[in-house]
Amino acid sequence: MTSPQISAAELGRWRAPVGAAVITVGQVDTAKGFLGSELWSGVRRWCIDPDEDDTWVEGGATFNGHVVGSSWGTPVTFRAESLLPGFGERWAMGAHGSAACWVADRENHQLFAYPDFFGGCSLFIAELPGGTALSTSLRQLELFAQAVGTPLARSAEFQAERIMLGNGGLWPTSFTHVRRLDHMSFVRISGTQVSELAYRAGDQMLQSSASIEEILSAIQADIRANVRAIAAAAAEHRVGHLTGGFDSRLVLSAILSEGLQDRFLFFTSGAVGATDRIIADGLARTYHLTRTADAGLSPAPARNVRD
């Protein structure tokens, strides 16, 4: 069996069994190395496959009072709205969380990638022989490149920075020829053309004349709306992290002010006697919060705090 090629006018979507999709543009051979292996899950061609979804969300976010994402699916109303003009700007300012929304415009043969406006979900772009690959998962890009026989090369500059400074940040990624899309930006794919565009909302926000009081009121309204959306989501458990820090106590105050504490379980890490545990234990007793040993970061149940 010969390996199919993605023509210059088509887009391919490769999925590992779990994780984010990898979008390929150009003549990247997406089948080489996959056929007959557990990694192979097929090549889909946008704009000619009527069974493909028009819209999907990777990660999780609240949007218009609902939770959307890979674990919750995309409601019909959300999919319909995503195809309306100006959706990208509404997503930029209305979505809150670590998520990216992909929208296929079949009529104009285009695919849009809308990552989180503030960088909560990054979009990585890799230049490979024959074309470009994009994914919200750097690990998925690495696996994909290995499987097609063009493994990504590690960035010596990034590794030197880690050794000397103890952290990254000055270099975009840990691989050469792989970059991260700038914050406040999205991608439009048309044929083999990958265009990196800026959300208009970025200029609007930076040029805003709103007062500090108005900004704080907007933030408060956002936090309350997010808490209500999560409390209403179809989930068996909703786990809130509770520490002695400002962030978790701010979220807790929104949960309490909305009267939704019975809809959440609360997790605190750290050893007994640690400052975080002392503060969290006091808050839990005062507000009658239900505690859990499960951090909520894995679908597998936890038996204790160490898990």
Side-chain angles (χ1 to χ4, degrees):
M1 180 181 296
T2 59
S3 299
Q5 294 282 338
I6 297 178
S7 71
E10 294 172 344
L11 302 171
R13 176 182 176 190
W14 172 81
R15 284 184 191 265
V18 295
V22 174
I23 305 300
T24 58
V25 184
Q27 294 184 330
V28 180
D29 185 353
T30 58
K32 180 181 179 182
F34 293 137
L35 292 176
S37 77
E38 63 180 11
L39 289 178
W40 172 253
S41 62
V43 175
R44 296 169 171 83
R45 290 175 170 79
W46 287 107
C47 306
I48 62 173
D49 186 349
D51 295 327
E52 272 293 355
D53 294 336
D54 290 313
T55 302
W56 79 94
V57 177
E58 292 174 348
T62 60
F63 184 76
N64 284 354
H66 299 282
V67 176
V68 296
S70 50
S71 298
W72 295 275
T74 49
V76 174
T77 53
F78 176 77
R79 296 185 185 211
E81 179 177 355
S82 71
L83 301 178
L84 297 176
F87 169 76
E89 296 300 321
R90 293 193 297 277
W91 173 265
M93 298 309 295
H96 304 288
S98 181
C101 184
W102 297 80
V103 180
D105 180 352
R106 298 180 187 277
E107 182 177 352
N108 296 303
H109 290 229
Q110 295 177 332
L111 178 65
F112 293 87
Y114 298 118
D116 180 69
F117 179 75
F118 292 107
C121 180
S122 296
L123 180 64
F124 299 99
I125 304 172
E127 301 300 335
L128 302 177
T132 305
L134 305 90
S135 181
T136 58
S137 169
L138 190 58
R139 175 59 175 162
Q140 290 295 89
L141 277 180
E142 182 184 20
L143 289 173
F144 175 80
Q146 288 175 352
V148 299
T150 57
L152 302 177
R154 293 282 182 180
S155 168
E157 293 86 354
F158 183 91
Q159 299 303 330
E161 179 189 346
R162 286 185 58 197
I163 294 172
M164 296 175 64
L165 303 180
N167 62 277
L170 300 180
W171 295 91
T173 73
S174 56
F175 298 99
T176 59
H177 307 300
V178 180
R179 65 186 186 280
R180 185 185 65 243
L181 183 69
D182 288 341
H183 294 174
M184 303 185 186
S185 300
F186 65 97
V187 162
R188 180 185 65 210
I189 304 172
S190 181
T192 58
Q193 184 68 37
V194 179
S195 302
E196 301 176 22
L197 308 169
Y199 287 116
R200 291 194 303 273
D203 287 337
Q204 295 170 3
M205 185 186 70
L206 294 174
Q207 296 172 7
S208 172
S209 58
S211 66
I212 293 296
E213 290 77 13
E214 290 171 329
I215 293 173
L216 291 176
S217 294
I219 293 173
Q220 182 188 65
D222 274 348
I223 295 174
R224 286 177 175 268
N226 292 340
V227 165
R228 290 195 298 269
I230 294 171
E236 184 177 356
H237 300 293
R238 301 164 193 82
V239 179
H241 284 209
L242 184 60
T243 70
F246 172 78
D247 294 348
S248 68
R249 288 185 289 127
L250 177 64
V251 173
L252 175 62
S253 69
I255 292 174
L256 294 173
S257 66
E258 294 289 328
L260 297 171
Q261 57 267 35
D262 292 339
R263 301 283 289 171
F264 291 85
L265 303 175
F266 294 88
F267 169 81
T268 302
S269 62
V272 175
T275 301
D276 274 357
R277 290 293 298 273
I278 293 173
I279 295 174
D281 291 346
L283 291 171
R285 287 192 301 269
T286 301
Y287 297 106
H288 309 290
L289 306 179
T290 303
R291 309 295 290 278
T292 179
D294 189 348
L297 304 178
S298 169
R303 295 165 297 177
N304 50 51
V305 173
R306 182 182 298 276
D307 286 349

